Amino acid sequence: MNGFRAVADGSHVVAIFALFFKLFCTKSSAEGVSWKSQFLYLATYCARYLDLFSSFISVYNTTMKSFIILSSIVTVVTIPWILKDHYQKKFDTFWIELLILPVTVLALVLRHSVSSSDMILELCWTWSIYMEAVAIIPQFYMTWRGGHTDSLLITYLFGMFSYRGLYIGNWVYRYFNEEYYDFVAIGGGITETFVCLCGLIVTMAAYHRRGEATEPYYSVKVTQNVYTLPFITHPIQKGFGKDYKPLMTGTASNCDHLGSSDTQSLLRMLDHDEQSPYNHDLSVPIHQGSFLA
């Protein structure tokens, strides 16, 4: 194994741990993570590593394959069930059928010629190469639509970009030192690197445009005992906060239908605060979905 492949695999592992840290060790948790992309990655790895228990290459090879599959299973299972309160399903709406069908056709048409006994394994391997090249697209679509963006998510995406980009160096090395090349792997890898680069640019632009979103804030403006509650998707930071969308105007007495104990308590508090009824501005964090349920 050459240095390019070792560093590429290391980048993949770092990306996975960054994703796990975001999911299980931060307040944002699954916010901004596309379950559809993670599902496509799981399908990709399962199709590629069908030979996991039928052929042994090395301890390293078997360990990496097992780790990648198991980590994908954990991600796919936890996001929609255990972490469902943080999963932004409303933004994760890319039609993955638009990826699965063309990739399946391409795998049937553009593949290596092998004997009939190896046909299934070869088709699955080829399909996994093409699918991995585009599996990240639902993630970038989710970000573009307004999904949560933070530094850990960017670390994960950059790790995936580095992982595929460094494999290009691996193929160049093998071509000049081993006279080996694989047009399927090279084509899929170059495509995935390009897709990841474009998506990473989009994600970075969204991150800098919105600021790092950790918890939605709702700005409550109180004027003559009338409470206007505009909604903003991300925290108000320096140079940010212009994307308000007026949600509703009312008093504490007619806000019960919002179904948010946090909001009602806040309004009752302001209603009884002698200094709050006139021209008072207050920004408070309230759990996402309080106003949208």
Side-chain angles (χ1 to χ4, degrees):
M1 181 174 63
N2 61 71
F4 287 107
R5 181 180 175 184
V7 178
D9 288 347
S11 296
H12 195 183
V13 172
V14 168
I16 292 172
F17 276 113
L19 180 61
F20 272 28
F21 188 82
K22 171 177 169 53
L23 291 176
F24 304 113
C25 301
T26 66
K27 291 175 64 177
S28 62
S29 188
E31 291 176 7
V33 180
S34 169
W35 179 84
K36 292 186 176 182
S37 274
Q38 297 304 315
F39 172 79
L40 291 178
Y41 275 126
L42 175 59
T44 293
Y45 300 137
C46 287
R48 183 175 304 173
Y49 302 142
L50 286 176
D51 63 343
L52 179 61
F53 300 106
S54 61
S55 62
F56 178 81
I57 299 175
S58 67
V59 174
Y60 172 82
N61 187 275
T62 301
T63 302
M64 281 296 296
K65 288 179 178 179
S66 301
F67 170 73
I68 290 171
I69 290 177
L70 290 174
S71 62
S72 295
I73 291 174
V74 170
T75 305
V76 168
V77 170
T78 55
I79 289 177
W81 287 285
I82 299 176
L83 304 175
K84 62 181 179 180
D85 291 339
H86 295 275
Y87 172 42
Q88 296 178 311
K89 187 176 182 179
K90 62 182 178 181
F91 295 128
D92 195 13
T93 56
F94 189 88
W95 289 4
I96 58 176
E97 295 85 355
L98 296 178
L99 302 176
I100 295 174
L101 293 177
V103 163
T104 302
V105 172
L106 188 62
L108 291 170
V109 174
L110 197 61
R111 56 179 175 79
H112 297 295
S113 298
V114 294
S115 62
S116 57
S117 60
D118 297 326
M119 182 65 69
I120 299 300
L121 285 176
E122 178 63 27
L123 280 174
C124 289
W125 180 85
T126 305
W127 183 89
S128 74
I129 294 295
Y130 295 148
M131 177 52 67
E132 187 178 22
V134 295
I136 199 68
I137 289 178
Q139 176 63 61
F140 295 136
Y141 182 76
M142 183 178 185
T143 300
W144 176 75
R145 285 206 62 212
H148 176 97
T149 308
D150 58 34
S151 55
L152 280 172
L153 184 60
I154 291 176
T155 301
Y156 165 72
L157 296 175
F158 184 77
M160 296 300 291
F161 164 70
S162 301
Y163 152 61
R164 296 313 298 176
L166 287 165
Y167 257 89
I168 295 177
N170 170 61
W171 297 318
V172 172
Y173 176 89
R174 296 190 66 182
Y175 177 75
F176 285 104
N177 290 273
E178 304 173 16
E179 296 185 355
Y180 171 86
Y181 72 93
D182 187 317
F183 74 90
V184 173
I186 293 173
I190 292 175
T191 302
E192 182 177 359
T193 303
F194 177 75
V195 170
C196 284
L197 178 60
C198 293
L200 195 57
I201 293 172
V202 171
T203 303
M204 290 292 292
Y207 177 78
H208 287 294
R209 185 177 71 249
R210 303 170 190 162
E212 182 169 0
T214 55
E215 186 175 16
Y217 273 63
Y218 299 87
S219 178
V220 179
K221 184 177 179 64
V222 185
T223 305
Q224 295 184 351
N225 209 27
V226 175
Y227 305 91
T228 304
L229 289 76
F231 166 74
I232 192 167
T233 334
H234 301 282
I236 302 169
Q237 296 184 350
K238 270 190 175 180
F240 180 75
K242 299 179 181 179
D243 298 331
Y244 278 89
K245 292 184 179 179
L247 184 70
M248 70 163 293
T249 300
T251 62
S253 60
N254 64 8
C255 287
D256 292 343
H257 68 279
L258 287 176
S260 167
S261 59
D262 290 336
T263 307
Q264 294 170 39
S265 298
L266 170 69
L267 292 178
R268 282 194 295 269
M269 176 189 73
L270 292 175
D271 201 22
H272 290 88
D273 185 349
E274 294 179 356
Q275 299 182 13
S276 68
Y278 299 99
N279 301 322
H280 180 72
D281 290 306
L282 177 66
S283 293
V284 292
I286 299 176
H287 296 300
Q288 185 170 13
S290 295
F291 290 53
L292 306 178

